[in-house]
């Protein structure tokens, strides 16, 4: 109920010690109130007569039936909701008045409606930035944003393309790939890298249970064989690692559908969790499983609504959002100059709206006989995008990964020296024959 904001503001006025907050909230006169109009008039008259807000005892002596509430919302929220409350009041007044005027002079009714619309328009508090008059402000904001610490993805070459990693100012990054191409492994790598760097993470996993997903985290972090962890075959070294891991301060949450009381996950529920735990990286491993709070009747509209809400969440809470999306079957016909299928933005299953909204988008494919993962930058709002392809030799069973430079045309000018533990892996992948099954255990992607 919108009028509940009236009680919140009155409670704030009577209990706050901030004169600045009092000055701001008393700018909303009695016309902004309906149910609590007599109460605010008493407060405003007391302030005008005595120079201060009445204390709680004085107020409750006058209104003994009112129970004040604890208010923790910021002053910006209270002001915005008071504006909405006034609009609600105007709307009810307009409906009631038009019922009387409509049966009489139509011209008078339209004139009244026009005046009410003008009053409602005056309540609009939107203040678009003037690039001319606000030149100093906008330049300062860009400078501030550029100083924000970025979230490492775990792929140093991708971070280089994105000027240091995922942005905490605004970021909606898409990962597009066919089934079993490594999307979840890449998402877990991002989670592991962000948590290690001190950024709290929330990972929505609609398909894999949190405990099993955790084994992938451990494989990336400690290079424990995932095929062994998945079967519960633990070494003393691994158990010691778990003990030390549990003592770290930064959290990495994995959310399943069963964790929600409603049994479904939507942006509203995710936003509550993001706000409560200070999440800085939100990973959605399967957009098709999310529900749309606006109840879009097709996947095309549903995906649009969800991604718009996720992008708003990113900007509001300074939280990077990564969304994994399935590529459709037409990907098989979308081959590159090597004759190997590679999805692009046209291959997003269900809707092309996520790609329109995204700040960055990457396409994935695996060349299974070579154990190579190719990642292509499909979209970037900030970069001069020539659709570079980054190739990695990787063994997800052990969490080992090696960037494969592409010679003179390599998209990354700075090549990171590979760890010595990956030397044999890289040599094998560049040999004429594919690795044998004895060298790589089977792991589900």
């Amino acid at each position: 109920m919108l009028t509940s904001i009236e009680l919140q503001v009155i409670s704030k006025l009577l209990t706050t010690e901030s004169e600045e907050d009092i000055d701001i909230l008393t700018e909303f006169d009695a016309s902004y109130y309906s149910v609590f109009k007599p109460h605010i008039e008493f407060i405003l008259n007391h302030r005008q007569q005595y120079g201060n807000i009445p204390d709680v005892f004085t107020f409750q002596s006058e209104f003994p039936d009112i129970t004040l509430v604890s208010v923790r919302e910021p002053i910006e929220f209270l002001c915005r909701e008071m504006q909405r409350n006034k609009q609600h009041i105007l709307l009810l007044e307009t409906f009631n008045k038009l019922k009387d005027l409509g049966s009489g002079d139509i011209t008078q009714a339209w004139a009244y409606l026009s005046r009410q619309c003008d009053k409602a328009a005056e309540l609009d508090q939107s203040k678009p930035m003037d690039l001319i008059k606000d030149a100093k402000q906008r330049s300062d904001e860009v400078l501030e944003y550029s100083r924000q610490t970025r979230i490492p993805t775990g792929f140093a070459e991708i971070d280089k393309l994105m000027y240091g990693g995922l942005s905490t100012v605004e970021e909606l990054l898409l990962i597009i790939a066919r089934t079993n191409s490594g999307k979840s492994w890449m998402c877990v790598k991002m989670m592991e890298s962000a948590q290690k760097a001190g950024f709290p993470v929330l990972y929505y996993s609609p398909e894999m249970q949190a405990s099993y997903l955790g084994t992938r985290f451990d494989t990336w972090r400690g290079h424990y064989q995932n095929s062994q962890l998945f079967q519960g075959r633990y070494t003393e070294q691994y158990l010691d690692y778990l003990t030390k891991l549990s003592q770290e301060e930064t959290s990495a949450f994995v959310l399943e559908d069963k964790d929600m009381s409603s049994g479904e996950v939507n942006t509203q529920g995710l936003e509550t969790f993001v706000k409560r735990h200070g999440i800085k990286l939100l990973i959605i491993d399967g957009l098709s499983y999310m529900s749309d709070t606006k109840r879009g009747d097709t996947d095309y509209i549903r995906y649009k609504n969800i991604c718009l809400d996720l992008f708003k969440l990113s900007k509001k809470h300074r939280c990077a959002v990564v969304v994994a999306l399935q590529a459709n079957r037409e990907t098989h016909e979308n081959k590159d100059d090597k004759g190997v299928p590679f999805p692009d933005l046209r291959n997003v299953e269900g809707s092309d709206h996520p790609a329109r909204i995204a700040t960055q988008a990457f396409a994935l494919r695996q060349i299974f006989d070579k154990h190579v993962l190719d990642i292509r930058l499909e979209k970037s709002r900030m970069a001069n995008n020539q659709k570079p392809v980054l190739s990695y030799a990787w063994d997800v069973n052990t969490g080992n990964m090696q960037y494969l430079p592409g010679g003179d045309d390599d998209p990354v000018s700075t090549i990171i020296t590979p760890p010595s533990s990956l030397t044999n892996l890289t040599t094998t992948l560049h040999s004429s024959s594919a690795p044998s099954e004895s060298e790589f255990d089977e792991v589900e992607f």
Side-chain angles (χ1 to χ4, degrees):
M1 183 177 179
L2 278 173
T3 50
S4 64
I5 187 62
E6 298 178 15
L7 180 58
Q8 285 181 281
V9 171
I10 286 174
S11 298
K12 184 76 169 181
L13 280 169
L14 293 170
T15 58
T16 185
E17 296 181 359
S18 169
E19 287 297 327
E20 182 181 358
D21 287 353
I22 290 174
D23 288 341
I24 292 173
L25 294 178
T26 51
E27 290 180 3
F28 299 102
D29 59 31
S31 68
Y32 285 81
Y33 295 78
S34 57
V35 175
F36 292 90
K37 181 173 287 190
H39 309 77
I40 191 63
E41 288 176 340
F42 176 80
I43 292 173
L44 295 178
N45 289 337
H46 188 284
R47 190 185 193 212
Q48 182 177 8
Q49 185 173 355
Y50 301 106
N52 61 5
I53 297 295
D55 60 28
V56 173
F57 181 81
T58 301
F59 177 81
Q60 292 190 323
S61 296
E62 185 72 18
F63 304 101
D65 296 332
I66 299 300
T67 301
L68 300 179
V69 297
S70 175
V71 183
R72 291 182 295 177
E73 296 291 354
I75 198 72
E76 294 81 7
F77 171 85
L78 299 177
C79 291
R80 186 191 68 194
E81 292 302 300
M82 284 302 289
Q83 297 289 344
R84 293 182 62 207
N85 198 56
K86 178 64 176 288
Q87 291 175 332
H88 179 67
I89 293 170
L90 281 174
L91 188 63
L92 292 179
E93 287 178 356
T94 303
F95 283 153
N96 293 330
K97 185 70 173 179
L98 287 177
K99 283 192 297 185
D100 298 330
L101 294 176
S103 59
D105 189 342
I106 298 300
T107 303
Q108 186 180 1
W110 278 110
Y112 172 78
L113 181 59
S114 178
R115 291 195 300 272
Q116 292 295 91
C117 288
D118 289 341
K119 289 181 181 179
E122 291 173 0
L123 294 172
D124 185 4
Q125 297 295 301
S126 59
K127 297 178 180 178
M129 176 177 284
D130 185 337
L131 295 182
I132 309 306
K133 293 183 173 58
D134 299 328
K136 181 63 167 60
Q137 177 188 342
R138 62 181 172 84
S139 64
D140 287 345
E141 285 187 2
V142 172
L143 190 60
E144 177 196 348
Y145 296 158
S146 69
R147 291 170 176 166
Q148 298 293 317
T149 303
R150 287 182 171 256
I151 304 172
T153 63
F155 298 81
E157 298 74 26
I158 290 178
D159 292 345
K160 187 175 181 66
L161 291 177
M162 298 195 300
Y163 306 113
L166 297 163
S167 171
T168 55
V169 176
E170 57 176 40
E171 190 80 89
L172 180 63
L173 182 143
L174 304 184
I175 300 174
I176 307 162
R178 285 293 291 161
T179 301
N180 202 40
S181 294
K183 293 190 302 298
S184 294
W185 278 99
M186 183 175 181
C187 287
V188 175
K189 179 65 175 173
M190 289 185 170
M191 172 172 65
E192 185 271 333
S193 178
Q195 186 277 338
K196 188 175 184 179
F199 295 93
V201 185
L202 173 59
Y203 189 120
Y204 170 45
S205 177
E207 296 178 344
M208 181 173 286
Q209 292 188 24
S211 296
Y212 285 136
L213 197 75
T215 67
R216 297 187 174 187
F217 181 99
D218 299 334
T219 294
W220 283 123
R221 176 63 59 87
H223 304 293
Y224 302 101
Q225 286 196 21
N226 194 259
S227 57
Q228 297 298 306
L229 299 184
F230 198 81
Q231 300 175 70
R233 298 177 180 175
Y234 303 153
T235 63
E236 289 298 324
Q237 181 186 15
Y238 175 67
L239 294 175
D240 183 58
Y241 151 81
L242 290 180
T243 299
K244 293 178 180 178
L245 183 67
S246 64
Q247 296 171 359
E248 294 191 10
E249 294 184 0
T250 305
S251 294
F253 299 96
V254 177
L255 179 73
E256 301 177 53
D257 292 314
K258 65 178 178 60
D259 298 324
M260 306 298 287
S261 58
S262 62
E264 61 181 29
V265 172
N266 55 42
T267 51
Q268 186 176 9
L270 292 174
E271 183 172 9
T272 299
F273 202 96
V274 166
K275 182 178 179 181
R276 182 188 306 153
H277 295 282
I279 300 298
K280 288 301 174 185
L281 175 59
L282 170 62
I283 299 174
I284 310 293
D285 191 2
L287 192 69
S288 62
Y289 291 90
M290 288 187 62
S291 62
D292 173 21
T293 56
K294 299 181 178 66
R295 303 298 177 188
D297 55 359
T298 65
D299 283 346
Y300 189 78
I301 300 300
R302 191 165 65 87
Y303 283 18
K304 174 185 177 181
N305 292 339
I306 294 172
C307 284
L308 280 173
D309 288 342
L310 287 173
F311 189 49
K312 291 176 183 177
L313 180 155
S314 173
K315 293 197 290 185
K316 180 178 179 181
H317 297 286
R318 299 292 181 91
C319 171
V321 179
V322 173
V323 177
L325 290 162
Q326 290 283 358
N328 57 33
R329 295 178 181 177
E330 284 72 22
T331 300
H332 292 298
E333 306 300 324
N334 194 18
K335 299 180 180 180
D336 63 2
D337 54 3
K338 298 178 182 179
V340 182
F342 212 148
D344 60 25
L345 298 182
R346 296 168 297 180
N347 298 126
V348 176
E349 189 174 56
S351 172
D352 61 356
H353 274 295
R356 297 183 187 180
I357 300 166
T359 55
Q360 322 261 1
F362 289 88
L364 268 64
R365 74 172 175 195
Q366 263 204 90
I367 304 178
F368 289 95
D369 61 341
K370 296 292 185 182
H371 287 267
V372 169
L373 176 73
D374 288 335
I375 304 175
R376 183 171 65 200
L377 178 61
E378 290 291 313
K379 175 185 177 181
S380 178
R381 285 186 176 176
M382 301 300 180
N384 179 18
N385 183 20
Q386 303 297 320
K387 291 197 173 184
V389 177
L390 306 173
S391 296
Y392 295 87
W394 73 338
D395 174 15
V396 292
N397 189 45
T398 60
N400 288 319
M401 185 175 63
Q402 168 62 44
Y403 176 64
L404 302 175
D408 295 337
D409 297 328
D410 184 66
V412 181
S413 57
T414 303
I415 305 302
I416 297 178
T417 304
S420 58
S421 61
L422 289 178
T423 303
N424 293 336
L425 173 64
T426 308
T427 303
T428 301
L429 290 167
H430 280 291
S431 65
S432 57
S433 60
S436 66
E437 291 303 326
S438 62
E439 293 171 292
F440 290 98
D441 289 337
E442 286 294 329
V443 178
E444 181 184 352
F445 289 94

